[in-house]
Amino acid sequence: MNSHSPIFPESYDQKVFLVAGAAGFVPGSVSEFYLQKGGRVIGLDNFVTGQRANIERLKKYPKFSFIECDIGLGIPDLREQKIDYILNLASPASPVDFYKIPLEIMRVNSQGTTHLLSLARESGARFLEASTSEVYGDPEIHPQKETYLGRVNSLGPRGCYDESKRFAEALTMSFHRHFGVETRIVRIFNTYGPGMRADDGRVIPNFVSQALTGADLTVYGDGRQTRSFCFVSDLVEGIHNVLFSGDPMPFNVGNPDEYTIMDCARFVIEALGSSSRIVHRELPEDDPQRRRPDLTRLEKLCDFRPKVGLREGIERTARYFKDLS
């Protein structure tokens, strides 16, 4: 057995999880995961991109409570609360947000992360930083290993997210080394599923939303760039294993299956029986050409294997978007 293998609680009934960004897609799913296990979840969000519908869904659980706040500006005094785990999943992560709210993104990943790490230090809670595959930038190696230091354009439009996430990782490790805070880091690769905004701007929600209405599917560039798409329940399982591991170094979490954007577009049209056509638009600046996680570390940690394939995931996501309309 790996010396860092996850050690899970016998019971979650007395465990308290503070989830920053709880109104968002991934953090809302993580919150529900621990509520279903019987834990107590305190959610934080300021709704800059989060959806109130996600909080309403979580409020159905009696052990969920919510505080509306901007962690980049400060957090409520929670020192009297018993908090076992702090999960920082608060940052907007969609490319459309990089152009709309770059300063908010940089603030939440710098000041917001500092506030949560300080709380973890004061309360003795374990802290998990939700980082991103964007720390690798437009990578020169493939697939991407955690040891790869990346190729990021700090001056480009994606720099607000890429660089602030790299800073958040450095901050997390500094609190770990300097103050002895128990920390974990996950680098999340492209994730999709129910709970996303239809106007999220990422590939799967874009294609599914367009295909459901018969609109043209918009492919940027020639479509030969690749992505690896992870269904949200598989991502949450990976995050769960890293949170309860004993390893503070970063873990890639995602799905290793790799598709070109053109293949993905055709797959969505086929899966949904859509009459949509594919049209091409100019490729955004600094858009990565290849993206696929090397999951060796995660596989050694917990024998991780994604369970939901792309077809099933697209169909489940489409049902969710249909229900919204």
Side-chain angles (χ1 to χ4, degrees), residues 130-293:
S131 188
T132 171
S133 60
E134 296 294 336
V135 300
Y136 300 122
D138 189 5
E140 301 156 296
I141 67 164
H142 193 77
Q144 291 79 58
K145 296 183 177 182
E146 292 90 346
T147 52
Y148 176 56
L149 300 182
R151 186 178 68 162
V152 174
N153 178 9
S154 62
L155 303 179
R158 305 174 76 97
C160 63
Y161 183 64
D162 301 2
E163 292 291 9
S164 65
K165 277 298 186 182
R166 288 163 70 93
F167 177 82
E169 286 194 10
L171 193 62
T172 298
M173 290 306 299
S174 294
F175 266 75
H176 171 71
R177 294 188 178 110
H178 193 65
F179 296 121
V181 175
E182 198 175 352
T183 60
R184 306 289 181 266
I185 298 172
V186 291
R187 290 176 177 164
I188 298 173
F189 281 68
N190 292 64
T191 302
Y192 70 102
M196 296 189 89
R197 293 149 44 200
D199 62 348
D200 177 271
R202 282 173 279 192
V203 176
I204 296 293
N206 271 5
F207 285 172
V208 170
S209 296
Q210 291 166 340
L212 286 174
T213 61
D216 293 339
L217 268 64
T218 306
V219 170
Y220 295 96
D222 60 14
R224 287 186 292 179
Q225 65 270 40
T226 69
R227 297 293 183 270
S228 300
F229 301 105
C230 184
F231 194 70
V232 64
S233 58
D234 289 326
L235 176 78
V236 172
E237 191 66 34
I239 290 173
H240 175 56
N241 277 277
V242 173
L243 177 62
F244 286 97
S245 76
D247 193 338
M249 298 303 289
F251 283 88
N252 290 335
V253 183
N255 189 313
D257 295 341
E258 185 178 6
Y259 298 87
T260 68
I261 299 301
M262 280 297 292
D263 285 343
C264 181
R266 296 188 187 105
F267 200 84
V268 168
I269 290 172
E270 176 189 335
L272 302 184
S274 174
S275 60
S276 297
R277 300 178 305 121
I278 296 172
V279 297
H280 293 264
R281 297 285 184 268
E282 185 178 353
L283 191 68
E285 185 179 353
D286 296 329
D287 192 63
Q289 289 302 298
R290 301 192 73 184
R291 186 60 63 75
R292 176 181 159 218

Side-chain angles (χ1 to χ4, degrees), residues 117-134:
L117 278 163
S118 296
L119 177 61
R121 180 190 176 198
E122 293 167 359
S123 63
R126 182 178 301 171
F127 176 89
L128 181 138
E129 169 62 25
S131 188
T132 171
S133 60
E134 296 294 336

Side-chain angles (χ1 to χ4, degrees), residues 2-125:
N2 189 320
S3 61
H4 292 303
S5 294
I7 300 176
F8 303 109
E10 293 183 6
S11 170
Y12 293 82
D13 289 349
Q14 303 302 316
K15 300 299 183 183
V16 180
F17 300 81
L18 180 70
V19 179
F25 159 52
V26 169
S29 300
V30 169
S31 296
E32 189 162 31
F33 177 83
Y34 287 115
L35 288 166
Q36 290 176 344
K37 284 187 170 293
R40 181 185 168 205
V41 173
I42 304 170
L44 307 178
D45 208 299
N46 66 344
F47 297 108
V48 67
T49 58
Q51 302 179 90
R52 293 187 184 275
N54 287 337
I55 295 299
E56 292 306 312
R57 183 181 83 245
L58 296 174
K59 283 182 177 178
K60 296 175 183 177
Y61 295 89
K63 296 176 78 171
F64 176 75
S65 58
F66 178 71
I67 302 170
E68 185 170 348
C69 69
D70 182 341
I71 66 166
L73 299 177
I75 57 176
D77 188 351
L78 297 168
R79 286 173 296 180
E80 300 303 317
Q81 295 266 13
K82 173 188 177 293
I83 299 174
D84 299 289
Y85 309 100
I86 297 174
L87 295 93
N88 184 20
L89 299 115
S91 176
S94 172
V96 298
D97 298 326
F98 304 163
Y99 293 87
K100 293 179 180 178
I101 50 172
L103 298 181
E104 289 89 339
I105 290 171
M106 298 191 78
R107 185 173 67 231
V108 74
N109 286 322
S110 55
Q111 292 300 106
T113 303
T114 301
H115 293 145
L116 293 176
L117 278 163
S118 296
L119 177 61
R121 180 190 176 198
E122 293 167 359
S123 63

